[in-house]
């Protein structure tokens, strides 16, 4: 059954690629038309990892026009959902060796340690961009709390304090303003965390606006 599903996905994607090539050429394969825009020049194969398994795509080549399909993003090698699953496994503490075994069981191919490392670096860049984004608008309230989590590093598991700031925005809704690792929940850690929030643009509301929020009881969660 798994092979049937993979084969069906593969056939469907290749049929869509052929249709895309026909549209660009302005004619079907081997069809002679005076207004034909281009002709086929064979194809090349590409592997794509999907939730169903690894499939082989036959990417059409045209003689004059570049073939850039909207069906599959250029240079994309695996579905976003597959990448997200790999990242989630890694962040959940699953070892790289175990990730390799799981991917082979689910998708028929082993994901190399370098691939897991590349995905981890990519998600790390996105997390850092989110952590250092500018804080926009005003916030009537800011809630601070520390969460203790276990972190595995170099084969050793340690407790780590994560400092979290949640603010109430101008519309009365909560939003996470910042997250940072703290050595411990001491004065120096909290001072550094608050400076980090202020440097990113955190500012409060006027007393009049705050009182209005309280009287109308509009704070929603």
């Amino acid at each position: 059954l798994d092979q049937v599903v993979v084969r069906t996905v593969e056939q469907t994607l290749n049929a869509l690629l052929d249709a895309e090539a026909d549209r660009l050429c302005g004619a079907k394969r081997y069809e002679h038309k005076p207004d034909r825009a281009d002709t086929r020049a064979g194809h090349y194969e590409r592997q794509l990892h999907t939730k169903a398994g690894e499939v082989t795509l036959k990417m059409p080549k045209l003689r004059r026009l570049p073939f850039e399909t909207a069906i599959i993003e250029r240079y994309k090698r695996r579905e976003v959902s597959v990448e997200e699953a790999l990242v989630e496994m890694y962040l959940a503490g699953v070892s790289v060796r175990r990730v390799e075994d799981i991917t082979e069981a689910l998708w028929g191919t082993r994901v190399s340690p370098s691939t897991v490392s590349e995905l981890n670096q990519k998600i790390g860049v996105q997390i850092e961009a989110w952590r250092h984004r500018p804080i926009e608008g005003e916030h009537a309230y800011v809630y601070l709390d520390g969460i203790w989590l276990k972190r595995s590093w170099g084969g050793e598991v340690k407790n780590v304090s994560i400092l979290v700031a949640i603010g109430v925005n101008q519309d009365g809704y909560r939003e996470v303003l910042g997250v940072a690792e703290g050595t411990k929940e001491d004065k120096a850690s909290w001072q550094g965390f608050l400076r980090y929030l202020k440097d990113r643009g955190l500012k409060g509301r006027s007393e009049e606006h705050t009182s209005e929020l309280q009287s109308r009881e509009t704070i929603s969660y």
Side-chain angles (χ1 to χ4, degrees), residues 44-81:
Y44 66 93
E45 293 187 351
R46 249 186 58 183
Q47 302 304 119
L48 177 71
H49 294 269
T50 73
K51 287 182 287 186
E54 188 178 62
V55 299
T56 301
L57 301 180
K58 295 180 179 180
M59 305 296 295
K61 292 194 295 185
L62 307 181
R63 297 193 184 280
R64 294 187 299 274
L65 297 174
F67 181 78
E68 295 183 357
T69 175
I71 300 166
I72 302 167
E73 293 177 15
R74 192 176 185 182
Y75 305 128
K76 189 174 181 181
R77 290 294 181 268
R78 58 179 56 83
E79 286 186 336
V80 173
S81 57

Side-chain angles (χ1 to χ4, degrees), residues 132-157:
H132 295 285
R133 75 197 187 284
I135 297 177
E136 299 178 349
E138 298 179 342
H139 295 80
Y141 303 97
V142 174
Y143 301 93
L144 303 175
D145 197 5
I147 303 173
W148 287 88
L149 302 174
K150 293 187 180 296
R151 182 183 70 175
S152 177
W153 185 262
E156 185 179 0
V157 179

Side-chain angles (χ1 to χ4, degrees), residues 33-137:
K33 293 176 64 177
D35 57 345
R36 187 181 188 121
D38 205 345
T39 57
R40 300 285 191 100
H43 68 270
Y44 66 93
E45 293 187 351
R46 249 186 58 183
Q47 302 304 119
L48 177 71
H49 294 269
T50 73
K51 287 182 287 186
E54 188 178 62
V55 299
T56 301
L57 301 180
K58 295 180 179 180
M59 305 296 295
K61 292 194 295 185
L62 307 181
R63 297 193 184 280
R64 294 187 299 274
L65 297 174
F67 181 78
E68 295 183 357
T69 175
I71 300 166
I72 302 167
E73 293 177 15
R74 192 176 185 182
Y75 305 128
K76 189 174 181 181
R77 290 294 181 268
R78 58 179 56 83
E79 286 186 336
V80 173
S81 57
V82 174
E83 289 191 353
E84 289 176 348
L86 294 176
V87 171
E88 287 178 6
M89 281 190 285
Y90 185 83
L91 295 180
V94 180
S95 68
V96 175
R97 179 64 59 85
R98 185 63 181 143
V99 170
E100 292 180 57
D101 295 338
I102 292 172
T103 54
E104 185 175 31
L106 290 177
W107 300 303
T109 56
R110 296 178 73 87
V111 173
S112 66
S114 62
T115 298
V116 177
S117 177
E118 289 173 4
L119 290 175
N120 187 41
Q121 291 176 6
K122 183 164 68 172
I123 195 67
V125 170
Q126 296 174 359
I127 291 172
E128 284 304 301
W130 177 83
R131 287 188 62 245
H132 295 285
R133 75 197 187 284
I135 297 177
E136 299 178 349

Side-chain angles (χ1 to χ4, degrees), residues 1-14 52 55:
L1 181 60
D2 291 341
Q3 292 178 353
V4 171
V5 172
V6 172
R7 189 163 60 249
T8 301
V9 171
E10 186 175 84
Q11 291 173 350
T12 301
L13 289 175
N14 282 317
V55 299

